[in-house]
Every structure is written in C-alpha cells, then in structure tokens.
Amino acid sequence: MRFDAEVGEFVLGVREESVQLLRGMGTICLQVGLDVKAPSATKAGRFLALQTDLYGIANPYQRTLVGRGTEVLAFTPETGVERPVLKFLLTSAQLHAINEARDGDLRMELEVTGTLPQAPGYPGSTTEVLHFSVAKSRWIEQVSALGPAVAFEMQVPFPLEDDARPVPARSPAPTPGRRHRRRDPGGPSRA
C-alpha cells in the first residue's frame, strides 16, 4: 500500500495457511491472516486503519462480495511485521454459494485500503488487491469439519410470539357537511 512519499509503503500479504472456517452460533466465520510490514519512516504515525473487502472468484472471472471488515493496528517501525486476523461472518447460504462457484481450488481476493490518521499530508493509501487460494482438498476438509450445521438453515420468526398483524379497515373518508351512518354490529343503526 503506497502512501505519500514521506510516509512510504506498507507491504501486505495473505498467509494462505491461515484461511480457516470456524463454526459459530448460527453463522460461520471465515478467518484470514494478514501480514502487514510497516515502513521505516517515522512520519507514518502509530496507527493504521485498514478497510478490507473479501471477494470470492468464480470461473470465468466474476467477483462476488463475501464480506467487509475493518481493523486498526498499532505499530512501530521497529516492530517488524504485524499479523492481524480478519474475520468475516458467513451464512450457510453464502458458504453454499462460494462452494458452488468454486472450480477446483477456492480462489479469493482481498481488497485492502489503508488510512494513517496521524500522518502528514493525505492520510489515504492506494487500494491493494491480494489474490490467494485454498487447495481443494483443504477447503473440502474444512467444510466437512463444520458438520451438519451447514446442510440446512433454520428460519425462526421474530419475535417468537409473533401473531398475525391486524390489517387496518378501509372506510371512505367523511365528506364535509355530510353525516355518515354507522352500523353498530350489536344493535340497530343510528343516524
């Protein structure tokens, strides 16, 4: 990621072995490890805010947004490489769509844009697109490890006691200067 000249470049990389599917309550978490190396320039400040967009790639080249995330890193040039773990929540339907679009290995893209709020000059960076893949056998193993929870989705009405909602009655609007008769369902009509 390139920033203004006096700040320098951050070097980014996805650790392909860190891509994992984790089971959660009603969702699935796709976890991606990122390597971020800060420049040696001291004018960069001490915080880096990252905006990430994760895309699934289908054949022929077609991108589908899987999830978005943000991450804030505290760094110093002496630290070396920061290794944040990005987490994207998926539903079973999203996981099935990713799996159906996959042809062999799972191919994905991570778009990363950074902001240095303490840097002098323009704080934004260029957008970096990181391509990575997960081997077919490893992906199938991870999907299988999720168990039967991904086989179906349960739809629960909200709230649980949700009754049928009343529908407002349609009645003609009163005309000025004219009296309308109302019928009382329990008695005779009145003027």
Side-chain angles (χ1 to χ4, degrees), residues 131-165:
H131 301 270
F132 64 97
S133 62
V134 179
K136 178 181 177 180
S137 60
R138 188 165 175 267
W139 180 253
I140 290 172
E141 179 183 304
Q142 288 192 30
V143 171
S144 299
L146 293 173
V150 296
F152 64 92
E153 272 191 1
M154 193 165 58
Q155 293 183 349
V156 179
F158 181 79
L160 293 175
E161 296 85 28
D162 199 12
D163 294 329
R165 303 202 173 175

Side-chain angles (χ1 to χ4, degrees), residues 106-190:
L106 175 70
R107 295 183 309 129
M108 302 194 97
E109 284 183 359
L110 185 66
E111 259 186 28
V112 183
T113 306
T115 304
L116 292 168
Q118 298 172 330
Y122 182 71
S125 74
T126 57
T127 299
E128 290 292 318
V129 179
L130 306 171
H131 301 270
F132 64 97
S133 62
V134 179
K136 178 181 177 180
S137 60
R138 188 165 175 267
W139 180 253
I140 290 172
E141 179 183 304
Q142 288 192 30
V143 171
S144 299
L146 293 173
V150 296
F152 64 92
E153 272 191 1
M154 193 165 58
Q155 293 183 349
V156 179
F158 181 79
L160 293 175
E161 296 85 28
D162 199 12
D163 294 329
R165 303 202 173 175
V167 177
R170 299 187 83 150
S171 60
T175 309
R178 188 170 180 203
R179 293 181 62 188
H180 288 278
R181 289 183 153 177
R182 285 194 162 173
R183 289 197 148 233
D184 185 11
S189 63
R190 297 180 241 172

